[in-house]
Amino acid sequence: MSLARALKASPTLFRVGFAGAVAYRAELLVWMLSTTTPFVMLALFSAVAAEQPIGNYDQRQLGLYFIATFIVRQLTGSWAAWEINFEVRQGTLSVRLLRPVHPIIGYAIENLAAIPLRLIIVIPVVVGAIAYFGAGWLPSSAVKWAAFAAAALGGWLITYLINVAIGSLSLYIESSVKVLDVYLVLFFVFSGYTIPVDLFPGWLATLGEWLPFRYQIALPVQILTSAHDTEAVARELVRQWAFVVGLLVTTSVLWQRAIRRYGAFGG
Amino acid sequence: MIDVRDLRKHYRVHRRAPGLWPAIRSVFSRTYETVPAVDGITFEIAEGERVGFLGPNGAGKTTTLKVLSGLLHPTSGDVRVHGHVPKDRDDAFLREIMLVTGQKQQLLWDLPPADTFDLNRAIYDVPRAEFRKTVDELVDLLDLGSLIDKPTRQLSLGERMKCELAAALVHRPRVLFLDEPTIGLDVNMQTVVRSFIRTYNERHRATLVLTSHYMEDVAALCPRVIVIDKGVLAYDGSLEQLSRRVRPEKHVVLRFSREVDAADLEGLGNVVTREPASVVLAVAPADVTAVVSRALARLPVEDLTVQNPPLEEVMSELFTRSRVEREAAS
């Protein structure tokens, strides 16, 4: 399916994806509770920072950092790796392959369709943060908001494409759920989700510079909290989108090769 | 038109003995075996034809359907469906075909079937007016009524299968691959599904390729059958010819008004089954008239029918012969 045709079909795909996401109300509530890691980290770091700042972060900055982390994580989440693994093992990937929508586009739309649902918990957090900290921490111009939108989109694309790449591996190694576990460990360490990346010691910071994870969370967070100047934002966005392009090519090739190994098990 | 030349699909399968030690050893060293699921089959299917794919479990029927629908890449051979190479899965090909399996579903589990219909409308870019007309027709033919507004998970198996068929046909595919479409359905629902499939084929001149373990499905729907056994083509032709070739005799079924002794049946033919007041006789086609006349003259016949042997028996006989021939050849 061409991208233009996919866009034409996308309102229905989004609507159906959203309807599917809200079908189970109890599960929705449990899921909301499972997204609170940044608040746990905020409580821990704040307790430590009560005595003295940690690096450049005092209690207020830590509060803003982890609130922004929560927001960015909600906007950039993806679970495609888990979904592909499940569908390959169950043979239900066949249904997707029979439709004239490329599965990579199909999974993307389903993942994106959950974002409006996530906004239900993001908006009260933003309102609460503005009430408590004021609005001064937010981007102050349309250009800065555009930069944040680009960084959030880039962050989502990196997350999503890594997920698809890991999912594709399940066609080679039967299940890549453990690879997903390894990825999540690296993500939690290097993305800035649990620790601000500028608190890393020198060698770890250098390593993090060369990995894509910091562009998933840390960069959008830094732009949202106005932690970078314009020049640094532009430089970092270029690097982030270079990762996006690289991952897009790698993932597409990997998927095309992997899908030849699909066994369409079970029925 | 479906054109298949020397199709082969071989799987690489990991083998290991049960138990702890083989499990540990398999972590370091694995034994693989190549299994030929389909091993060089050739056939053609004309547009609008209804063809049954028959064979025992593991014969290669479903694998062939999956290759034809583009899900599996063949190991070798040339496959074309309406001029398309299925493994390329180009948009035009995917718009022309649909694979419906009795064991996998495309209906969205948590949402009503109507949502899946609408999703397919968007995916296949079906104009809204045409979509409404098609859905109305499908609702009418399959008697779906209010089913399409209930969450799929709350539908019975038969109701789901009917909705599954409707969802598969929203874009009016020209080629329909059906893999065990009546599996698990009660007799009444099987009849409904068969009748619907036949109507769809006749109304839209769609090509139909069906696999089923229910011989009634095949007998009711498919004038032509392709039989595969162990990945090899064992027969391609009409059901009638298949019966004649494998089991040429007729079954004469007699029901009596009172009990009849075995001695009274002597000289009438081979007794297939006998109960006190009924019997099934296997009779050569040329002898049927004589046997019927003799039976009517000397026995208290209340009811009489002449049938072909059951398809299940024909198939079983065919598979046995084909296995014996293969073993003899090897």
Side-chain angles (χ1 to χ4, degrees):
Chain A
M1 186 186 233
S2 69
L3 199 58
R5 205 178 282 159
L7 286 174
K8 190 181 167 195
S10 60
T12 306
L13 300 183
F14 273 117
R15 186 186 61 71
V16 172
F18 183 77
V22 297
Y24 289 102
R25 288 177 296 179
E27 191 181 49
L28 186 63
L29 185 67
V30 174
W31 166 74
M32 284 179 183
L33 295 173
S34 74
T35 61
T36 52
T37 305
F39 297 117
V40 175
M41 300 312 296
L42 172 60
L44 288 172
F45 273 92
S46 290
V48 178
E51 304 278 317
Q52 58 179 13
I54 306 170
N56 295 322
Y57 291 87
D58 59 19
Q59 275 188 309
R60 173 189 156 82
Q61 283 160 328
L62 281 169
L64 291 174
Y65 180 86
F66 282 111
I67 284 168
T69 301
F70 173 80
I71 294 165
V72 169
R73 176 70 168 148
Q74 295 305 321
L75 297 178
T76 60
S78 169
W79 57 94
W82 183 88
E83 212 168 354
I84 294 170
N85 263 279
F86 178 81
E87 293 186 1
V88 167
R89 285 174 76 89
Q90 297 292 315
T92 47
L93 181 63
S94 304
V95 174
R96 284 183 195 275
L97 294 174
L98 288 169
R99 288 176 170 158
V101 175
H102 196 290
I104 293 182
I105 296 177
Y107 288 120
I109 290 175
E110 280 170 28
N111 280 213
L112 289 171
I115 288 181
L117 187 68
R118 288 161 179 252
L119 289 178
I120 294 171
I121 53 170
V122 166
I123 289 168
V125 170
V126 173
V127 170
I130 290 171
Y132 190 77
F133 295 108
W137 56 280
L138 289 166
S140 54
S141 68
V143 174
K144 288 179 179 171
W145 276 111
F148 170 69
L153 177 62
W156 178 80
L157 280 167
I158 291 173
T159 308
Y160 175 69
L161 292 170
I162 290 175
N163 264 266
V164 174
I166 293 171
S168 303
L169 291 179
S170 66
L171 289 152
Y172 286 97
I173 56 175
E174 290 163 17
S175 169
S176 60
V177 171
K178 296 297 171 198
V179 180
L180 181 63
D181 288 347
V182 172
Y183 155 74
L184 285 174
V185 169
L186 294 171
F187 168 81
F188 284 132
V189 173
F190 286 105
S191 69
Y193 186 55
T194 50
I195 307 164
V197 289
D198 41 1
L199 294 181
F200 286 174
W203 66 272
L204 201 59
T206 307
L207 181 61
E209 295 273 325
W210 291 94
L211 297 171
F213 305 107
R214 61 196 295 268
Y215 298 104
Q216 294 175 261
I217 298 284
L219 178 63
V221 164
Q222 285 159 342
I223 295 175
L224 185 62
T225 55
S226 309
H228 279 323
D229 60 30
T230 311
E231 195 183 319
V233 167
R235 189 179 61 241
E236 289 290 86
L237 277 175
V238 168
R239 292 184 66 175
Q240 182 195 44
W241 280 83
F243 270 114
V244 170
V245 173
L247 279 165
L248 187 61
V249 172
T250 311
T251 303
S252 302
V253 172
L254 184 61
W255 174 269
Q256 273 173 354
R257 287 174 182 270
I259 209 65
R260 290 181 204 162
R261 304 171 65 96
Y262 180 54
F265 308 118
Chain B
M1 143 89 100
I2 297 172
D3 190 5
V4 175
R5 305 265 154 225
D6 199 24
L7 171 65
R8 286 167 210 274
K9 176 64 187 175
H10 295 182
Y11 290 106
R12 192 165 169 253
V13 180
H14 166 218
R15 298 256 186 232
R16 83 162 172 81
L20 181 62
W21 176 239
I24 294 169
R25 201 172 48 195
S26 76
V27 174
F28 303 98
S29 167
R30 294 197 170 192
T31 310
Y32 288 95
E33 187 182 311
T34 300
V35 177
V38 178
D39 206 19
I41 60 172
T42 296
F43 60 85
E44 281 179 11
I45 296 174
E47 196 169 345
E49 232 187 319
R50 294 193 305 265
V51 177
F53 252 67
L54 298 176
N57 287 333
K61 312 180 295 286
T62 301
T63 298
T64 306
L65 280 201
K66 285 174 179 171
V67 170
L68 291 177
S69 57
L71 288 178
L72 296 180
H73 284 235
T75 306
S76 66
D78 190 33
V79 180
R80 304 222 167 227
V81 176
H82 280 223
H84 304 281
V85 177
K87 72 181 168 74
D88 293 346
R89 279 207 305 276
D90 59 71
D91 278 8
F93 167 72
L94 294 173
R95 280 163 193 284
E96 289 194 359
I97 64 129
M98 181 47 82
L99 168 69
V100 179
T101 69
Q103 296 173 31
K104 287 278 173 290
Q105 61 163 32
Q106 66 159 318
L107 293 172
L108 299 160
W109 186 246
D110 299 315
L111 304 180
D115 275 328
T116 306
F117 298 171
D118 196 35
L119 183 73
N120 283 359
R121 175 198 58 74
I123 286 172
Y124 289 99
D125 200 17
V126 181
R128 279 186 191 274
E130 190 185 317
F131 169 72
R132 264 182 234 111
K133 196 176 147 201
T134 306
V135 170
D136 287 347
E137 182 190 335
L138 293 169
V139 166
D140 181 42
L141 278 173
L142 284 163
D143 192 23
L144 297 178
S146 61
L147 292 181
I148 63 170
D149 296 323
K150 280 163 70 176
T152 299
R153 64 172 185 268
Q154 291 175 358
L155 300 177
S156 71
L157 178 65
E159 291 171 340
R160 274 210 305 274
M161 195 60 221
K162 289 201 296 182
C163 292
E164 192 69 38
L165 275 169
L169 301 177
V170 160
H171 66 291
R172 297 217 173 136
R174 291 171 64 202
V175 183
L176 198 54
F177 300 112
L178 299 163
D179 187 19
E180 307 277 3
T182 57
I183 196 164
L185 302 186
D186 64 40
V187 178
N188 181 42
M189 201 58 82
Q190 285 178 25
T191 311
V192 170
V193 168
R194 272 181 219 133
S195 153
F196 169 74
I197 291 168
R198 196 186 177 106
T199 307
Y200 182 81
N201 159 266
E202 286 168 354
R203 209 174 268 188
H204 301 288
R205 209 175 143 59
T207 308
L208 201 95
V209 183
L210 167 98
T211 77
S212 180
H213 281 108
Y214 296 127
M215 290 302 153
E216 292 88 346
D217 284 351
V218 180
L221 287 169
C222 305
R224 175 183 164 197
V225 293
I226 292 176
V227 182
I228 313 181
D229 190 17
K230 297 279 178 197
V232 180
L233 202 74
Y235 175 81
D236 183 353
S238 75
L239 258 181
E240 191 62 33
Q241 274 177 334
L242 178 66
S243 282
R244 273 207 301 272
R245 199 178 88 176
V246 179
R247 293 285 295 270
E249 79 272 16
K250 295 282 181 186
H251 279 188
V252 177
V253 185
L254 301 169
R255 216 173 61 229
F256 309 118
S257 54
R258 59 173 167 77
E259 290 188 14
V260 168
D261 290 335
D264 297 334
L265 302 170
E266 270 175 27
L268 289 178
N270 294 327
V271 176
V272 179
T273 57
R274 189 175 83 84
E275 285 177 33
S278 68
V279 69
V280 179
L281 301 166
V283 179
D287 299 336
V288 169
T289 314
V291 167
V292 167
S293 305
R294 255 180 281 154
L296 289 172
R298 72 184 196 211
L299 295 168
V301 176
E302 195 175 68
D303 189 32
L304 181 152
T305 49
V306 180
Q307 305 168 339
N308 285 323
L311 266 176
E312 284 81 359
E313 286 179 21
V314 174
M315 297 311 298
S316 170
E317 175 86 25
L318 178 69
F319 297 145
T320 308
R321 279 192 208 174
S322 122
R323 215 154 289 154
V324 169
E325 280 168 19
R326 252 200 328 271
E327 278 165 16
S330 66

